[in-house]
Amino acid sequence: MGKEKIILTADRPTGKLHIGHYVGSLKRRVELQNSNLYDKIFIMIADAQALTDNAENPEKVRQNIIEVALDYLACGIDPTKSTVFIQSQIPELCELSFYYMNLVTVSRLQRNPTVKTEIQMRNFATSIPVGFFTYPISQAADITAFKATTVPVGEDQEPMLEQTREIVRKFNAVYGETLIEPEILLPDNSACLRLPGTDGKAKMSKSLNNCIYLSESAEDLQKKIMGMFTDPGHIHVQDPGKIEGNTVFTYLDAFCKPEHFAQYLPDYPNLDELKAHYQRGGLGDVKVKRFLNSIMQEELEPIRTRRKEFEKDIPAIYDMLKKGSKAAREVAADTLSDVRKAMKINYFEDIDLISAQAKKFGQ
Ligand code: ATP
Ligand code: MG
């Protein structure tokens, strides 16, 4: 047990994917997929989870499944190497969640920092849907159903992984070694752990309307970059500027490579020198934004082009998702069977149980 290296990650189909998803997780998934170091890779479109806070808007979730799938393919997820599937098509996940619920307390869920922030962000106040409140448990079901060892995600997911590990430990302690404890794989680059929004807010998020989408047109991308939040105290070019909390520099930390200077900004040898000049004063925001725009256009152009190609055959994408969901379901069913056995609720598969009971009644 536990020899295989397995990846699972997911995204909520609540909108198109943005560059936060890309640097926080998606880019890494593609690299891991192509490294051939992993035995299996599962990529899930978390529609059931999206419904926990969009119950009254199922059409939004339905419409965005294909958008997320297109973004995956555009970024280089290859369905011959990775299993891409839709969460709601795997009913085994609900059953696992139901059993795991007995292993988690309400107060433990209340202490989950991500859930806390998200409840505030959505203004749920006292009207939190039970499904939303318990989504860390369903995430534990998703991860463990595929016996994932590695979960490449952004920093916001750290409390979810911790919660999953606790459930695994508890399950294994009570019912015997059955589930695998997963490890989080965070981005190496600290700017990518939690990419801020274009408005400077702590996290780029579909729910906050501060995103640069992967499929953005060249014009819209440029518009968003030129309108980005920088240092509000940096009014005149000559003024000294701040780097911390300056979103344009955070994006440069995330996307800029040394070779970009020779190509687009030969006056500076590297990012440190550019930052130093900004801090001294004498470097305008527009120049830095133009540089960022050149870099981002270079990164997103091939993604945009590939997406257009995949958009030409939408039925083929649904077919890929259907096949992926079927394959994923088989894996989840295997785990569920182990779980039922460990929990002693596999009555009809246990011949010994029936004969022992018969004996008890004198037969
Ligand atoms: P929603 O607002 O609907 O929750 P979201 O933008 O937070 O959407 P998710 O689908 O919840 O996106 O997240 C999918 C994956 O992308 C997770 O692994 C998450 O850690 C990562 N991710 C999302 N936003 C960012 C970000 N701004 N920086 C780094 N990683 C991110
Ligand atoms: Mg989220």
Side-chain angles (χ1 to χ4, degrees), residues 12 21 49 114 118 121-122 135 156-157 203 205-207:
R12 294 153 42 94
H21 298 120
Q49 191 193 110
T114 306
E118 291 186 339
M121 221 168 85
R122 288 166 175 77
Y135 92 73
D156 61 311
Q157 293 300 308
K203 181 176 177 282
S205 169
K206 286 165 276 183
S207 314

Side-chain angles (χ1 to χ4, degrees), residues 202-344:
K203 181 176 177 282
M204 178 173 289
S205 169
K206 286 165 276 183
S207 314
L208 294 174
N209 224 347
N210 59 4
C211 301
I212 291 180
Y213 293 100
L214 287 171
S215 51
E216 211 84 69
S217 71
E219 293 95 303
D220 289 348
L221 175 59
Q222 183 171 9
K223 251 189 244 155
K224 286 192 177 178
I225 290 174
M226 297 317 281
M228 263 170 73
F229 177 87
T230 55
D231 168 11
H234 185 244
I235 299 163
H236 307 291
V237 174
Q238 293 318 316
D239 295 341
K242 277 208 198 89
I243 301 295
E244 304 81 50
N246 186 326
T247 317
V248 176
F249 281 97
T250 312
Y251 287 15
L252 282 176
D253 282 332
F255 288 98
C256 181
K257 293 188 211 114
E259 58 267 30
H260 287 140
F261 283 91
Q263 209 176 342
Y264 301 119
L265 203 60
D267 299 352
Y268 297 85
N270 55 42
L271 192 51
D272 286 342
E273 294 289 322
L274 188 74
K275 285 179 179 172
H277 190 189
Y278 191 82
Q279 283 169 312
R280 275 198 310 274
L283 173 58
D285 283 339
V286 172
K287 190 164 180 179
V288 188
K289 284 178 171 174
R290 285 210 181 114
F291 178 50
L292 176 64
N293 180 56
S294 307
I295 294 172
M296 299 280 312
Q297 296 286 0
E298 183 187 308
E299 183 98 23
L300 298 192
E301 199 272 331
I303 297 178
R304 196 186 300 136
T305 311
R306 270 202 304 270
R307 198 185 206 270
K308 291 241 160 64
E309 277 307 302
F310 285 111
E311 284 171 3
K312 289 180 185 159
D313 192 357
I314 295 298
I317 312 241
Y318 278 103
D319 195 47
M320 181 260 308
L321 291 171
K322 190 175 170 187
K323 288 200 180 100
S325 299
K326 185 169 177 281
R329 192 170 177 190
E330 283 164 18
V331 178
D334 273 352
T335 304
L336 182 61
S337 157
D338 296 345
V339 161
R340 283 166 158 263
K341 190 167 169 220
M343 292 180 71
K344 301 186 179 299

Side-chain angles (χ1 to χ4, degrees), residues 60-297:
K60 172 171 151 190
V61 174
R62 184 182 171 86
Q63 293 299 329
N64 280 305
I65 300 246
I66 193 77
E67 300 287 355
V68 172
L70 282 165
D71 285 329
Y72 286 162
L73 295 168
C75 287
I77 295 294
D78 175 353
T80 65
K81 294 182 181 161
S82 300
T83 305
V84 186
F85 67 99
I86 305 178
Q87 186 183 25
S88 63
Q89 304 308 298
I90 321 294
E92 285 77 6
L93 299 175
C94 300
E95 192 174 330
L96 285 176
S97 304
F98 192 67
Y99 300 140
Y100 295 172
M101 279 186 192
N102 306 329
L103 307 175
V104 181
T105 63
V106 171
S107 67
R108 175 64 182 87
L109 283 177
Q110 274 165 338
R111 273 187 283 119
N112 184 313
T114 306
V115 177
K116 265 193 197 162
T117 325
E118 291 186 339
I119 284 171
Q120 265 169 10
M121 221 168 85
R122 288 166 175 77
N123 291 322
F124 279 150
T126 52
S127 52
I128 310 162
V130 174
F132 184 81
F133 183 62
T134 57
Y135 92 73
I137 302 177
S138 100
Q139 240 171 268
D142 303 333
I143 295 168
T144 54
F146 298 95
K147 298 198 160 71
T149 52
T150 312
V151 184
V153 282
E155 191 186 42
D156 61 311
Q157 293 300 308
E158 222 160 6
M160 301 300 160
L161 262 290
E162 199 39 48
Q163 182 102 62
T164 301
R165 293 159 65 86
E166 278 176 38
I167 291 174
V168 169
R169 287 198 285 265
K170 179 95 195 216
F171 188 100
N172 289 348
V174 176
Y175 303 114
E177 282 297 314
T178 312
L179 304 174
I180 306 279
E181 251 189 77
E183 265 168 30
I184 191 167
L185 188 63
L186 291 168
D188 300 324
N189 180 336
S190 68
C192 303
L193 286 171
R194 185 180 297 246
L195 198 75
T198 49
D199 55 359
K201 288 222 176 88
K203 181 176 177 282
M204 178 173 289
S205 169
K206 286 165 276 183
S207 314
L208 294 174
N209 224 347
N210 59 4
C211 301
I212 291 180
Y213 293 100
L214 287 171
S215 51
E216 211 84 69
S217 71
E219 293 95 303
D220 289 348
L221 175 59
Q222 183 171 9
K223 251 189 244 155
K224 286 192 177 178
I225 290 174
M226 297 317 281
M228 263 170 73
F229 177 87
T230 55
D231 168 11
H234 185 244
I235 299 163
H236 307 291
V237 174
Q238 293 318 316
D239 295 341
K242 277 208 198 89
I243 301 295
E244 304 81 50
N246 186 326
T247 317
V248 176
F249 281 97
T250 312
Y251 287 15
L252 282 176
D253 282 332
F255 288 98
C256 181
K257 293 188 211 114
E259 58 267 30
H260 287 140
F261 283 91
Q263 209 176 342
Y264 301 119
L265 203 60
D267 299 352
Y268 297 85
N270 55 42
L271 192 51
D272 286 342
E273 294 289 322
L274 188 74
K275 285 179 179 172
H277 190 189
Y278 191 82
Q279 283 169 312
R280 275 198 310 274
L283 173 58
D285 283 339
V286 172
K287 190 164 180 179
V288 188
K289 284 178 171 174
R290 285 210 181 114
F291 178 50
L292 176 64
N293 180 56
S294 307
I295 294 172
M296 299 280 312
Q297 296 286 0

